[in-house]
Amino acid sequence: MTQQEKPKKRGPRLEVTNPNAAGIDIGSASHYVAVPADRDDEPVREFKSFTVDVHKLADWLEACGVDTVAMESTGVYWIPVYEILERRGFTVLLVNARHVKNVAGRKSDVLDCQWLQQLHSYGLLRGAFRPADQICVLRSLNRQRGMLLRMQARHIQHMQKALVQMNIQLANVISDVVGDTGQKILRAIVAGERNPHVLAGMKNVRIKASEEEIVQSLRGNWRDEHVFSLKQALELFDEYSKKVADCDELMEQQMIVLHQHDGVPQKARKQSGRNKPKYDLRTRLYQMCGVDLTRIDGIDVGTAMTVLAEVGVDMSKFPTVKHFAAWLGLCPGTKISGGKVLGSKTQKCANKTAQALRQAASCLKNSQSALGAYYRRMCAKMDKPKAITAAAHKLARLIYTMITRGEEYVDQGQTYYEERYRQRVEINLRRKAEMLGMRLVPMEVA
C-alpha cells in the first residue's frame, strides 16, 4: 500500500451508550413517543394524555425493551408521565428544552421525540434534578403553604385599603394591623363598636403610641360598604389561617416520616415571625439532616425549610459543591472564547432555593459575624445585587458542607475574618513589592 493509499485517520465517533433509549415529547393533549427503529414497525406513536393511555404508553415501552426515557416539556404536564414511568421501573430524564433546540429547521412533535431518542441513545442529554419521592411530597406542601401565605397577605392589604377609605389612620400609630392590638380593634369595629376611646383601650402595653394618638387615628367616616369590605377581608384572612394550619399539620407528619437523626439542636438565638408553624420546626429539620442549619448567620427556620424541602438531605446527585452551586445558578459563568474571558455573569435561574438564599444573604447587612463582614466587603467592592449573589453562594457552600460532612457551623466572628483578610492583603502587597525590587516596611505608630 502506497502512502497515498493509506486510510485517513478519522476522529472519534459517537458511540451508542443507551441502546434501549426512548424519547417523549410531552404535550397537554397528547404525547409523541419514539423508540429505536428496529424495535417496532411503527417506531413513533402518539398517546393521549389520559391516565389509561399513559399506562398503555408504559406497556408499549416495556414491549419494545426500553429501560431509559428522555422527555422534554414546559409547565407541569410532564409530572404524571414522569411519576408513572418511574413507578414502572424506567430511568426517566427530564431535559431542558433549550438544550435540545440548537439544530435549525426542525420543529414538529414527531421530529422532536425522534431527536430526543437519538440524543439520549448517544448519552448527550442530562436530566434535571428531582429529589426523592418523599422529599417531593414535602416540597409540594411547602410550596402550597407559601402560596396560601401570599394569598393571605393580599387580604391584609384589603383590610388596610378599607381602613384608608374610612380615613381610619390606624396604620400610622401601630406597626402591624394583624398584630394583637390591630386584630382586637378591627374585630371590634366589625362587631359594631365605634367609640374611639373604647377601641383605643384595647392597645397592648408594648405599643409606643399614646392612647390619645390612637383615639385620633380612629376617628373616621364609618360607611357601611367599607365596613362590609373590612369584614369580608377579615373572614378570608381567618380562612387562610385555617388552611395554613392544615398544611402545617401535614408537613409535620411528612417530616416525621423523614426522621433520620435523634436528638435536639442546641439553643439558638431567638427568631421572630408571625408565619412560623406552631410545632417545633427547627427540631424537625435537625432530625431530618442531623445538623442545625439555623446556626449559619442569615439562615432562619423558614430558609432552612425551603432548602431541605427543595433539595432534600441526599446530596449524592451533586458530586461536588461546585455542581451544587451551578445548579442553584449562584456560581460565576464561564463565557470564554479564544482564550479570552468574555463574561462571568451568573446565569438566570428561577430556582426557589437560590431565591431563599439571596433573601437570607440580604439580611447579613448588620450581622457582626464573619459572613456579615464578607457581605459588607462585597458591597464595597461591587454593586449590591452582585454582593448578595456572592454571599448567597457562600451560604450555599456552607449548607452543602454541613449536610455532606455532618459538621456544625461555628462562626469565627467579624474580627477573625477582618484579620485574615488583612493578612492576605499584606502577603499580596509584599509579593508585588518584591517583584518591583522594593520592600514593604510597616509604619511607625506614634
Side-chain angles (χ1 to χ4, degrees):
M1 182 180 294
T2 62
Q3 186 175 1
Q4 295 180 352
E5 295 175 349
K6 290 183 179 180
K8 296 181 180 180
K9 292 184 178 180
R10 297 180 180 271
R13 296 183 177 181
L14 289 175
E15 297 182 356
V16 177
T17 58
N18 299 315
N20 301 323
I24 305 178
D25 184 72
I26 303 292
S28 60
S30 61
H31 313 310
Y32 287 85
V33 189
V35 297
D38 58 345
R39 304 298 174 89
D40 194 86
D41 295 335
E42 189 180 356
V44 179
R45 292 189 182 184
E46 179 186 5
F47 294 88
K48 296 295 182 181
S49 58
F50 302 122
T51 304
V52 176
D53 295 281
V54 176
H55 282 287
K56 291 180 180 179
L57 185 156
D59 295 335
W60 182 59
L61 292 178
E62 288 180 349
C64 294
V66 172
D67 54 19
T68 180
V69 180
M71 62 175 65
E72 68 170 349
S73 173
T74 55
V76 296
Y77 303 123
W78 60 273
I79 294 179
V81 181
Y82 188 103
E83 293 175 347
I84 290 175
L85 293 180
E86 190 178 43
R87 199 177 302 120
R88 296 283 291 268
F90 294 96
T91 301
V92 189
L93 275 69
L94 178 66
V95 182
N96 191 333
R98 289 179 296 181
H99 296 168
V100 296
K101 292 188 179 297
N102 294 327
V103 178
R106 175 198 58 80
K107 189 67 192 84
S108 71
D109 294 332
V110 176
L111 292 176
D112 276 351
C113 64
Q114 289 179 316
W115 182 241
L116 283 171
Q117 189 275 329
Q118 184 179 0
L119 291 177
H120 189 33
S121 64
Y122 289 124
L124 298 177
L125 299 179
R126 291 186 302 174
F129 170 74
R130 181 174 171 84
D133 188 62
Q134 295 294 336
I135 298 297
C136 287
V137 176
L138 184 62
R139 181 178 66 176
S140 298
L141 293 173
N142 189 54
R143 291 181 179 181
Q144 175 71 11
R145 186 180 191 274
M147 184 271 292
L148 293 173
L149 290 175
R150 288 191 296 270
M151 297 299 293
Q152 187 184 46
R154 296 188 62 182
H155 296 296
I156 298 175
Q157 295 173 339
H158 295 162
M159 296 180 205
Q160 294 171 337
K161 180 181 178 181
L163 292 174
V164 171
Q165 287 175 327
M166 293 185 291
N167 201 31
I168 303 300
Q169 302 296 333
L170 188 62
N172 292 334
V173 293
I174 63 174
S175 60
D176 191 2
V177 295
V178 291
D180 181 63
T181 300
Q183 285 293 286
K184 288 180 180 179
I185 294 176
L186 293 184
R187 295 180 190 280
I189 291 174
V190 170
E193 183 61 57
R194 298 293 181 268
N195 190 332
H197 294 281
V198 175
L199 295 173
M202 301 177 183
K203 82 179 189 87
N204 192 285
V205 294
R206 293 179 296 178
I207 299 296
K208 295 181 179 179
S210 65
E211 188 170 336
E212 182 59 29
E213 290 177 332
I214 298 177
V215 168
Q216 294 300 323
S217 69
L218 291 171
R219 298 184 186 275
N221 183 19
W222 303 102
R223 293 179 63 92
D224 293 338
E225 65 271 23
H226 300 323
V227 175
F228 177 74
S229 299
L230 177 63
K231 177 183 177 181
Q232 288 204 328
L234 271 170
E235 291 174 351
L236 290 170
F237 176 83
D238 294 338
E239 186 63 27
Y240 276 107
S241 297
K242 295 177 183 177
K243 300 301 180 184
V244 171
D246 295 340
C247 194
D248 287 338
E249 184 179 353
L250 287 177
M251 289 178 64
E252 185 179 15
Q253 294 176 5
Q254 184 62 25
M255 297 180 76
I256 292 174
V257 174
L258 296 169
H259 185 125
Q260 296 182 359
H261 304 273
D262 296 326
V264 294
Q266 298 179 3
K267 185 178 180 180
R269 57 187 180 277
K270 184 179 180 180
Q271 297 178 347
S272 61
R274 184 178 65 246
N275 297 325
K276 291 195 303 182
K278 303 302 181 183
Y279 61 92
D280 191 355
L281 177 58
R282 182 166 164 265
T283 300
R284 294 297 183 193
L285 295 175
Y286 178 84
Q287 292 171 349
M288 276 182 59
C289 60
V291 290
D292 185 9
L293 298 180
T294 61
R295 294 179 65 87
I296 304 176
D297 291 274
I299 303 291
D300 58 3
V301 289
T303 304
M305 179 67 210
T306 301
V307 172
L308 293 180
E310 294 290 331
V311 183
V313 296
D314 183 13
M315 294 288 184
S316 60
K317 294 186 179 181
F318 305 106
T320 64
V321 67
K322 294 182 178 180
H323 291 82
F324 181 60
W327 175 73
L328 291 173
L330 296 175
C331 64
T334 54
K335 191 176 181 181
I336 303 174
S337 179
K340 182 180 179 180
V341 178
L342 302 179
S344 58
K345 185 178 180 181
T346 56
Q347 296 182 354
K348 292 184 178 180
C349 182
N351 191 300
K352 295 183 182 297
T353 307
Q355 294 173 4
L357 291 178
R358 282 190 171 96
Q359 292 178 357
S362 63
C363 298
L364 295 171
K365 179 180 179 180
N366 299 320
S367 176
Q368 301 300 315
S369 61
L371 288 171
Y374 173 79
Y375 172 71
R376 289 187 288 273
R377 184 171 71 86
M378 290 294 103
C379 286
K381 183 179 179 182
M382 58 187 70
D383 58 355
K384 193 170 183 180
K386 292 181 179 179
I388 290 176
T389 300
H393 185 194
K394 185 172 284 291
L395 292 177
R397 298 176 72 93
L398 289 173
I399 290 173
Y400 180 90
T401 304
M402 289 178 65
I403 294 177
T404 53
R405 297 184 181 180
E407 299 177 356
E408 293 288 353
Y409 172 73
V410 179
D411 179 38
Q412 300 290 341
Q414 177 181 351
T415 305
Y416 173 81
Y417 173 82
E418 292 177 349
E419 181 62 26
R420 288 289 303 274
Y421 176 67
R422 179 184 176 279
Q423 293 175 2
R424 290 197 301 268
V425 173
E426 182 180 346
I427 291 173
N428 291 331
L429 289 175
R430 291 185 182 278
R431 185 182 299 114
K432 290 180 181 180
E434 291 177 359
M435 292 174 60
L436 297 174
M438 300 180 182
R439 186 178 60 177
L440 195 66
V441 179
M443 294 178 59
E444 294 184 0
V445 180

